[in-house]
Amino acid sequence: MACRPLFLVVLISLISVSVCLDAYAFDEIDESLYFPSVVQGHHGNNNNVCHGVNDPQIRQNDSARINDTLGENLKYCSNNSGDGLPNDGCDTASGGDRYCTVTGGDIRGLHTNGQNSFKYSHEAGGGIDNCLNGDTFLLGDDGNTQFGKIVVYNACTVTFSANHSEYRLKNILARSGATIILAPGDYFVEELKLESNCHILAQGDVRIFVKSAIEITGAKINESGGGNVLLFGYDKMTLNGSTIIKANLYSDNHIYMNGSSTLHGRVTSRYLEMNSNSEIHDQTATPSLLSHYRIEFSSGALRCTGKDISIKACADADCTNELSDPVSVELTKSGDVYNNNVFSGNTSTQLWHTAGDTVTVGLGSTAPSGAYFCYIDGIEVANSDCTLDYADAGFILNIPNELSNKPQEDLEITAVKISETSSLCVPTFQGVSKTVNFWSDYISPDESQRPASMSVFIDDTALGQSYSAKTPITLAFDDTGKARFKLNYADAGTLALKVNYAGLVGDEDEMLEMEGSDTFARYPVGLCVSPETICASANKDCPGFRKAGETFELSIRGMAWQSDGDLDFCDNLPTANYVQSNIDLSADLVAPAEGVDGTVGLSVYDHTAQSNSLNLLSQSIDEVGVFSFSATPPADYLAEGILIPKAYSQAVGRFFPNDFKVYGYGIMPACMAGLYSYMDEPFRLNVSVRARNVAGETTENYFDDFASSVAFLVAENNGNGIDFQTRLSGMPSLDWSQPALGVQEIDDDILFSRRLDGIADGPYTLLDIGLRILDDDGVLIDDADMNAATDDICAISNSCNAKRLSSQRLIHGRIVMENVYGSEAETLRMPTTARFWDGDLWAVNTLDSCTKVIEPELPEPTQVVYSPILDGAQQVSRTNAAGNTSASDFSTGRFSLGWQSIVSTPNRYRGQVTAPLVVPSWLQWYWHNDGDLSDPQASAFFGTYRGHDKVIHWREVE
């Protein structure tokens, strides 16, 4: 007797081991060992690093990118450095770009035999070889876990039951929007081929083991992040097109990523090749964006017809935004699964219950998993109170959504009851008039948001807004049980229209109770976008309104329908209860025509319910010009697929620059060696100017008729407040043309002129030269630091109006030639000096080693005076100090001319020769006292010795 319990214990132990082995047919995978980084290579289950690995182990081409590497070397034996490796294929620790670098070693891989060998299917559960659009299949619910070929397309859905932790399949071939929902567990698939926007959704921890080569083209695996997925390939794996996968990938062969395929997860493979725009991000654990699910329906249901149920996947707490990725949701009726729904955002389905009585509506399994909430007639109720009473008789209402304030004619209400012989609906009232009670309930916006509570009208009668204020309306029902009525509601939002009827005592329908309801939406015909002012001309003639980037008031209202064909909504009735989030704001350029649109300061706003629907916004535009401002509501108002059209304001403007930025400036003196310039001598100016908005960005639309600024130079010496503006010239006009894109770059010669009255002045040793800009809109230079017309400190007196560019030394100069005397047999040296007015006299400019004498030789004969005239072949020459006629420079303000009476028969020339020297115009002087500038001149006296100036008398002796 003692042996039997022992045998039972052993048997139970064996069964437990068997179950354990079945549940964990493939070893548990330690991700810290086999997926230590975002990508890595492996050499199989071998002790030797890089064992049997050919070069390169990782190859990147084109614009392929691996993110989240933290700037570290990748664990690979080799890469294709020098052979097409992109310079931005990996990220740095700070998110920048770099070449992918490798460690020179890889990791040890998993063993793929024994416990980890592939598990084949015996196909006892059959397969799916075709499906009709929208078909759904549940596998594993009947106990089968091994299947043959699964081929799905045409938006069909296959769901694997959560009753098992392991499935084996011959093939999975999915395309054309098909969806496969995987419960937690392991899936052994001999062949996996996914394409054409099909989806695999995971409801928990899922591992997919594939024996042959994997091909995925334009498909999505776990894109919502609803599960943790491992895709394991015993053979190679190829991702093409716009494939998106959120999973870890392991291959005992190659992984190829092509096209724009994107992986959010980690990769371990013997080889990895990435081409085109493929990307890898280390985001396997990114949680789903799902906030919760919602079930929504109106109260009341009938046994003879299905009840419309709305299911939403919400991305935020108030369900303003819905999940864009596909979800899978089981709808339950009193705890039992009624149907499965795969959708993105929201869906609608019908729930039938012909047996009558009360049912509880709920959700079963969901992927991604999440809580759900129940709303009846727009009011949240506890999930345990999410019930529907299926009545024998009632009213069927179907009120389409419509524009606010637009009457709906010939709406139908049908009085029905369940047939005594079938589950079909038959008329309750036929060919009679009945008085039924109507009232409305607000659903959205709720009372806390609602500034007004307008009445719904039926046949021009205002309805009460609660059951206690219900309004009786007499309707004529025809032989089919239908009656017609007119409905209108002038505001926006979602409402419920409710109706009931109670047979009176003594009537043939005594004790009859009937109810019905339907929800409907009313929405604005459009928005009215109104700036604080408009400009009808919409061109350059618009007065200055705001600086580019400066805020102004923009009002937006939701407006009700007034008449068909109406295009100006701003004089319509406002919809005070209009509420919508994430309305895009933008601006369209009206003028100048060739400009850019610019960027608005406020790009999105949430419209809230307000009296008169008036939402006041602070808006701005960062560009110059005239603009129309617009508002574009999202395309799904009230989650009803309602599109409220984009609205435009009238022309607004003119917007003009905030300031002018002067930058990159400098002035180069004409004589760099001496750091001075002569008056009237050109010297170089370099300066750039750009028109800017409030944020300091260039306004590219400041051109042609929208640019009115002029620039000029100002100057003062040593801050004395005497403006020499009129003596500065050469500053070119600003060419604000469209190609300049709001920027002016000046590189030109300017000059400081001498006085017009011929009086010498200066020197100006600290001549501050500045740039001043005048603009019709009063736009000023940023960081102005100069006022040439005042001797006070402009920063203190707040009078700065120019930008100081440089301080220069300007002097009034002239060249002076002295007469020279000597023997006709000698070279006479004529002193020539560069002089400047030092305030008292003409001093030699010892800083001048820049002035060049271009033609030291004598000028044309008509400009040379001989006294006496030349005799026969006599000649006189003039050269530079070196004895030639090459151009040469002054040195420390001095230059020497060499005069010679050339030997000829019968003798050399004796007499006075007078001639000018061609000098730069800025070194000419009024030598002839005729008011005109001219070159200097002097005489060479051959055959005469002048002697020393201090000798009073010379006497010649033998």
Side-chain angles (χ1 to χ4, degrees):
M1 296 292 292
C3 293
R4 291 179 183 175
L6 178 61
F7 174 78
L8 180 61
V9 170
V10 173
L11 180 59
I12 292 173
S13 177
L14 288 172
I15 293 173
S16 298
V17 171
S18 175
V19 171
C20 181
L21 290 176
D22 182 65
Y24 300 101
F26 196 103
D27 287 346
E28 286 298 300
I29 297 174
D30 186 340
E31 291 190 357
S32 66
L33 290 178
Y34 297 105
F35 294 97
S37 303
V38 60
V39 294
Q40 46 271 311
H42 75 82
H43 54 269
N45 185 29
N46 189 281
N47 291 327
N48 299 320
V49 173
C50 299
H51 176 76
V53 173
N54 299 318
D55 294 339
Q57 193 176 26
I58 177 174
R59 172 179 285 278
Q60 277 186 305
N61 299 310
D62 309 318
S63 298
R65 173 86 169 185
I66 302 173
N67 295 287
D68 307 307
T69 66
L70 305 178
E72 298 176 353
N73 294 331
L74 309 180
K75 294 180 176 67
Y76 285 95
C77 303
S78 57
N79 65 2
N80 60 314
S81 178
D83 184 22
L85 185 72
N87 61 8
D88 57 353
C90 278
D91 60 351
T92 64
S94 60
D97 299 331
R98 68 180 180 97
Y99 285 100
C100 288
T101 53
V102 298
T103 61
D106 56 2
I107 69 170
R108 183 169 184 160
L110 289 159
H111 68 86
T112 55
N113 50 24
Q115 183 77 4
N116 290 350
S117 60
F118 184 78
K119 309 299 186 292
Y120 290 90
S121 171
H122 55 54
E123 307 181 33
I128 303 171
D129 57 8
N130 65 79
C131 66
L132 299 177
N133 189 25
D135 279 353
T136 60
F137 302 90
L138 178 62
L139 301 183
D141 199 44
D142 60 357
N144 282 307
T145 60
Q146 301 193 35
F147 299 92
K149 180 180 290 187
I150 306 296
V151 179
V152 285
Y153 43 88
N154 290 340
C156 296
T157 300
V158 176
T159 301
F160 286 84
S161 170
N163 294 338
H164 308 282
S165 60
E166 180 186 292
Y167 286 92
R168 303 180 188 181
L169 302 103
K170 180 69 175 178
N171 311 82
I172 294 182
L173 307 176
R175 62 181 183 272
S176 301
T179 299
I180 300 174
I181 302 169
L182 303 181
D186 289 349
Y187 295 80
F188 290 87
V189 184
E190 285 189 52
E191 180 186 12
L192 178 65
K193 187 173 183 179
L194 309 174
E195 55 188 45
S196 302
N197 200 35
C198 67
H199 301 266
I200 290 185
L201 306 182
Q203 294 182 314
D205 293 338
V206 170
R207 302 193 299 179
I208 307 170
F209 301 94
V210 183
K211 180 60 177 176
S212 61
I214 299 171
E215 295 184 32
I216 304 175
T217 302
K220 312 291 189 296
I221 298 179
N222 192 39
E223 74 267 37
S224 65
N228 296 315
V229 177
L230 167 69
L231 181 57
F232 185 104
Y234 289 85
D235 202 338
K236 67 180 180 180
M237 188 183 305
T238 303
L239 314 183
N240 299 313
S242 57
T243 293
I244 298 176
I245 298 177
K246 287 188 179 180
N248 286 343
L249 306 186
Y250 186 99
S251 172
D252 208 32
N253 202 305
H254 286 71
I255 292 181
Y256 298 96
M257 295 184 66
N258 304 313
S260 59
S261 57
T262 302
L263 171 71
H264 298 273
R266 295 190 171 190
V267 172
T268 301
S269 59
R270 286 185 187 266
Y271 298 94
L272 173 62
E273 180 174 318
M274 301 178 67
N275 300 304
S276 300
N277 297 305
S278 56
E279 293 186 17
I280 298 175
H281 304 263
D282 185 8
Q283 296 177 5
T284 303
T286 300
S288 169
L289 297 177
L290 176 75
S291 170
H292 65 281
Y293 295 98
R294 284 193 181 189
I295 306 171
E296 297 179 347
F297 52 85
S298 60
S299 57
L302 293 169
R303 292 172 57 194
C304 60
T305 187
K307 180 66 178 180
D308 289 333
I309 308 292
S310 174
I311 308 173
K312 297 179 179 179
C314 303
D316 47 41
D318 58 2
C319 211
T320 302
N321 299 293
E322 297 173 351
L323 204 63
S324 59
D325 293 331
V327 299
S328 174
V329 173
E330 289 180 346
L331 180 67
T332 62
K333 183 172 70 171
S334 297
D336 296 326
V337 176
Y338 182 77
N339 63 19
N340 187 77
N341 300 270
V342 178
F343 60 93
S344 297
N346 66 81
T347 190
S348 182
T349 186
Q350 283 199 329
L351 183 65
W352 287 74
H353 188 63
T354 58
D357 67 37
T358 300
V359 300
T360 301
V361 185
L363 298 185
S365 177
T366 62
S369 60
Y372 73 89
F373 301 96
C374 180
Y375 286 77
I376 302 177
D377 293 333
I379 300 173
E380 183 181 356
V381 299
N383 287 353
S384 58
D385 296 327
C386 191
T387 59
L388 275 172
D389 294 323
Y390 282 81
D392 293 340
F395 296 102
I396 296 175
L397 287 166
N398 183 17
I399 304 174
N401 298 330
E402 185 53 275
L403 294 169
S404 302
N405 200 41
K406 186 171 185 179
Q408 290 174 291
E409 307 282 351
D410 292 329
L411 293 180
E412 289 185 350
I413 179 172
T414 307
V416 297
K417 61 183 178 181
I418 193 166
S419 170
E420 295 178 358
T421 60
S422 71
S423 60
L424 299 178
C425 292
V426 296
T428 304
F429 304 141
Q430 291 181 286
V432 296
S433 292
K434 292 288 184 179
T435 299
V436 296
N437 299 307
F438 286 91
W439 70 97
S440 65
D441 272 347
Y442 277 96
I443 296 176
S444 175
D446 61 27
E447 187 175 2
S448 65
Q449 295 179 297
R450 198 165 60 243
S453 298
M454 300 180 69
S455 295
V456 175
F457 283 78
I458 286 184
D459 295 338
D460 300 323
T461 299
L463 301 186
Q465 297 178 18
S466 65
Y467 175 78
S468 61
K470 57 185 179 294
T471 304
I473 302 288
T474 300
L475 300 175
F477 290 88
D478 62 18
D479 289 341
T480 65
K482 299 181 184 298
R484 289 172 174 78
F485 61 94
K486 180 176 74 172
L487 181 143
N488 194 16
Y489 177 65
D491 210 335
T494 305
L495 296 91
L497 181 64
K498 297 189 175 182
V499 57
N500 85 327
Y501 174 83
L504 298 177
V505 175
D507 287 351
E508 61 181 13
D509 52 11
E510 181 181 348
M511 306 302 293
L512 175 63
E513 292 280 347
M514 296 175 62
E515 294 183 346
S517 68
D518 192 24
T519 59
F520 62 94
R522 288 293 181 269
Y523 54 97
V525 68
L527 304 181
C528 175
V529 182
S530 302
E532 59 185 78
T533 186
I534 61 172
C535 179
S537 66
N539 57 24
K540 64 181 179 61
D541 297 326
C542 292
F545 171 57
R546 285 288 193 278
K547 297 175 181 178
E550 188 178 14
T551 59
F552 63 95
E553 189 175 271
L554 187 72
S555 69
I556 302 180
R557 294 178 295 158
M559 310 304 289
W561 175 90
Q562 183 168 283
S563 63
D564 289 338
D566 180 22
L567 297 178
D568 180 10
F569 306 139
C570 289
D571 59 353
N572 296 12
L573 291 174
T575 53
N577 289 334
Y578 171 57
V579 176
Q580 191 167 16
S581 300
N582 299 318
I583 296 177
D584 289 332
L585 300 174
S586 59
D588 296 294
L589 181 68
V590 177
E594 297 180 355
V596 297
D597 283 339
T599 303
V600 293
L602 182 65
S603 61
V604 65
Y605 86 106
D606 296 337
H607 196 99
T608 59
Q610 300 288 339
S611 177
N612 294 320
S613 191
L614 183 63
N615 280 227
L616 297 178
L617 310 177
S618 181
Q619 186 59 287
S620 64
I621 183 70
D622 65 357
E623 262 298 344
V624 164
V626 179
F627 295 84
S628 171
F629 291 86
S630 60
T632 307
D636 195 20
Y637 175 54
L638 298 175
E640 294 284 346
I642 296 170
L643 174 62
I644 299 172
K646 183 176 182 179
Y648 299 86
S649 75
Q650 296 186 57
V652 186
R654 188 178 33 87
F655 294 89
F656 53 87
N658 177 63
D659 60 31
F660 295 106
K661 180 67 176 179
V662 179
Y663 64 101
Y665 50 83
I667 295 178
M668 184 180 297
C671 181
M672 285 296 295
L675 298 178
Y676 71 90
S677 300
Y678 286 113
M679 298 180 190
D680 280 337
E681 181 181 19
F683 53 100
R684 203 68 177 175
L685 166 67
N686 289 276
V687 63
S688 295
V689 180
R690 60 189 179 103
R692 306 193 307 173
N693 59 26
V694 169
E697 302 161 332
T698 301
T699 53
E700 297 182 10
N701 291 349
Y702 190 71
F703 63 83
D704 293 349
D705 292 337
F706 287 81
S708 61
S709 61
V710 294
F712 54 91
L713 297 172
V714 295
E716 64 174 332
N717 189 58
N718 199 23
N720 63 5
I722 300 174
D723 190 353
F724 290 109
Q725 172 195 334
T726 58
R727 294 177 65 177
L728 285 164
S729 60
M731 173 73 185
S733 299
L734 298 181
D735 175 28
W736 295 110
S737 60
Q738 192 275 335
L741 298 177
V743 176
Q744 295 290 291
E745 295 179 346
I746 298 168
D747 181 9
D748 216 332
D749 286 334
I750 61 173
L751 57 84
F752 183 88
S753 63
R754 291 175 279 198
R755 289 177 54 150
L756 296 178
D757 58 9
I759 298 175
D761 68 338
Y764 299 118
T765 57
L766 292 172
L767 188 72
D768 288 332
I769 300 176
L771 181 70
R772 189 175 177 189
I773 299 177
L774 296 181
D775 176 89
D776 291 348
D777 295 302
V779 181
L780 302 176
I781 290 176
D782 172 63
D783 198 25
D785 56 5
M786 178 181 178
N787 187 333
T790 179
D791 61 357
D792 60 6
I793 300 174
C794 69
I796 296 177
S797 62
N798 196 30
S799 62
C800 299
N801 59 12
K803 183 64 180 176
R804 179 182 174 275
L805 304 179
S806 180
S807 184
Q808 296 289 306
R809 175 183 173 88
L810 270 296
I811 57 177
H812 193 149
R814 68 182 186 181
I815 288 181
V816 175
M817 302 168 66
E818 299 181 27
N819 292 339
V820 62
Y821 303 84
S823 168
E824 69 273 20
E826 299 176 355
T827 298
L828 305 186
R829 302 294 179 183
M830 177 177 286
T832 304
T833 54
R835 307 290 181 99
F836 78 100
W837 182 253
D838 69 0
D840 295 311
L841 51 84
W842 291 98
V844 175
N845 182 13
T846 57
L847 297 176
D848 190 348
S849 295
C850 295
T851 299
K852 184 181 291 292
V853 176
I854 303 298
E855 298 177 350
E857 67 269 26
L858 288 172
E860 294 294 326
T862 57
Q863 299 182 46
V864 181
V865 178
Y866 293 92
S867 180
I869 63 174
L870 294 172
D871 182 13
Q874 290 180 332
Q875 294 183 27
V876 174
S877 69
R878 191 176 71 185
T879 65
N880 59 26
N884 58 59
T885 57
S886 299
S888 52
D889 297 330
F890 277 69
S891 177
T892 62
R894 290 174 169 80
F895 189 85
S896 179
L897 291 171
W899 292 74
Q900 282 187 312
S901 176
I902 299 174
V903 175
S904 64
T905 302
N907 51 45
R908 298 174 186 271
Y909 175 77
R910 290 172 59 87
Q912 178 183 356
V913 184
T914 303
L917 177 67
V918 177
V919 298
S921 60
W922 52 89
L923 291 174
Q924 293 178 333
W925 181 243
Y926 306 98
W927 297 109
H928 302 303
N929 295 319
D930 59 0
D932 294 328
L933 294 168
S934 60
D935 291 326
Q937 66 179 25
S939 300
F941 294 84
F942 290 99
T944 302
Y945 177 66
R946 180 181 179 188
H948 199 281
D949 287 344
K950 292 185 178 181
V951 176
I952 297 175
H953 176 71
W954 281 85
R955 182 171 65 86
E956 205 175 67
V957 297
E958 294 290 335

